[in-house]
Amino acid sequence: MMTLPNILTLSRIVAVPLLAALLWWPNWSLGYWMALVLYGLMAITDYFDGYLARSSGAVSKLGIFLDPIADKIMVASVILVLTAQGYLRGPYVGDLHVIAGLIILIREIAVSGLREFLAGAQVSVPVTQLAKWKTTLQLVALGALIGGGAVHGPPPVLLENAVRPLSDQWIHLVGLASLWGAAILTVITGWDYLRVGLKHMD
């Protein structure tokens, strides 16, 4: 039975190609504003589908299956497109900000595989409070990077002969700093999951 929470989850998955398309042109400020609104709606939907499922007792196997997939597809798509369009570049370290995005993607893949293994061993791994903070910081980081494109336009590294003071790209810098914060929490929470998994491996 297709419940409202499941419909909301599916809507996030369906919206991902549109979100990626809006982010595809770094010089299109309106597209980034539209992407920011869509991203915000997807983030809100992420909260409400889980809340509605729990409050109404409508938690289903389909919802449990789809919800983490929707989250990972959205995060991976935004990170990849923003990287391709140069938004994971910044002052001082240039392209090295891509490493933060790479850490997040590797963790998502590794934890998904680990959860599948533990499910086969009938071991449940609850989501920790730190993992929830990681998710929140990750959402803020990607939202700020999209918002930076909407407000400031492309990062200076994408513009020929552009010299832009840091104060004129502060939203972009907040996004990069938050992304590194999320990457650090990603390593910590990923290690927590791995320690649980190692206990059940021969």
Side-chain angles (χ1 to χ4, degrees), residues 184-198:
I184 292 171
L185 293 182
T186 286
V187 172
I188 296 172
T189 57
W191 173 245
D192 288 339
Y193 284 122
L194 182 59
R195 283 191 304 173
V196 174
L198 290 174

Side-chain angles (χ1 to χ4, degrees), residues 83-84 86-91 94-95 97-98 155 157-158 172 176:
T83 299
Y87 276 86
L88 264 64
R89 298 178 190 172
D95 287 342
H97 293 291
V98 173
V157 291
L158 298 183
H172 179 71
L176 292 176

Side-chain angles (χ1 to χ4, degrees), residues 10-174:
L10 283 172
S11 71
R12 297 209 313 277
I13 296 175
V14 172
V16 166
L18 176 58
L19 179 62
L22 291 171
L23 296 173
W24 201 260
W25 292 276
N27 291 299
W28 186 27
S29 178
L30 177 59
Y32 271 70
W33 277 113
M34 295 168 64
L36 183 60
V37 171
L38 179 59
Y39 179 81
L41 290 174
M42 294 170 74
I44 292 172
T45 302
D46 182 25
Y47 170 78
F48 275 107
D49 61 3
Y51 173 79
L52 289 173
R54 291 188 298 271
S55 63
S56 64
V59 177
S60 65
K61 292 182 179 179
L62 179 61
I64 294 173
F65 169 71
L66 288 177
D67 186 63
I69 290 178
D71 295 341
K72 289 172 175 55
I73 289 175
M74 181 181 74
V75 169
S77 298
V78 172
I79 288 177
L80 288 174
V81 176
L82 290 180
T83 299
Q85 304 309 329
Y87 276 86
L88 264 64
R89 298 178 190 172
Y92 309 121
V93 297
D95 287 342
L96 289 181
H97 293 291
V98 173
I99 294 175
L102 186 61
I103 289 171
I104 291 172
L105 292 179
I106 290 174
R107 185 265 191 190
E108 295 295 348
I109 295 171
V111 169
S112 293
L114 185 59
R115 281 186 174 277
E116 183 176 348
F117 166 78
L118 292 175
Q122 296 184 336
V123 177
S124 176
V125 183
V127 178
T128 65
Q129 187 61 44
L130 193 61
K132 292 179 181 178
W133 278 109
K134 183 275 299 182
T135 300
T136 300
L137 194 57
Q138 186 173 278
L139 288 173
V140 169
L142 298 181
L145 289 171
I146 297 172
V151 176
H152 304 312
V157 291
L158 298 183
L159 305 175
E160 292 184 8
N161 303 318
V163 178
R164 183 184 298 167
L166 297 182
S167 60
D168 287 348
Q169 49 179 316
W170 66 271
I171 299 177
H172 179 71
L173 297 179
V174 167

